[in-house]
Every structure is written in structure tokens, then in C-alpha cells.
Amino acid sequence: MSGPAVRVDRALCCGSGSCEVMAPGLFRVGDDGFAVFRPSAAGAWDAQLLEDVARCCPTGAITVHGTDEGSAR
């Protein structure tokens, strides 16, 4: 069973790091200043955490689809 589809829009990402603070096992701000989703680094995914991270992104750069909650932004 696959997890939710998570996308980081680099055109919107400002590199604030809120995603990395909220879910350090799933997100990282790279050397280029953009957030990167790292699904292989995390093992089991918490769909609610992904939804929360997407909602807290200050620019709306993170989108999540395929969770029980629907899609978050």
C-alpha cells in the first residue's frame, strides 16, 4: 500500500523550514533553499501530520493528496 502523494512546488517554496521543524523525518530544506519531501527517510507515514504540515506551509507550496481527510494545502 502506498502513502499519500506529496508535492512541494518549488515556485512557491520560500524555504521557511516550517515543514522540516514539524516533520524532520519527512522534509528537509536543501542547500538550494527549497523544501524536499523525503518519503524513504521516514518509514511509516502519519497522514494527519502531512495534512498539518501542508496547512502550515506559509506559501501553500506543499500539497497532499490521497489521505482519508481528502487533500490539504
Side-chain angles (χ1 to χ4, degrees), residues 25-72:
L26 291 173
F27 293 91
R28 166 179 94 72
V29 175
D31 293 337
D32 60 1
F34 296 106
V36 177
F37 179 61
R38 305 177 322 150
S40 62
W45 300 4
D46 180 343
Q48 184 60 55
L49 176 60
L50 288 174
E51 298 261 348
D52 291 345
V53 169
R55 278 190 205 91
C56 288
C57 178
T59 62
I62 299 171
T63 54
V64 180
H65 299 281
T67 65
D68 291 338
E69 300 290 319
S71 64

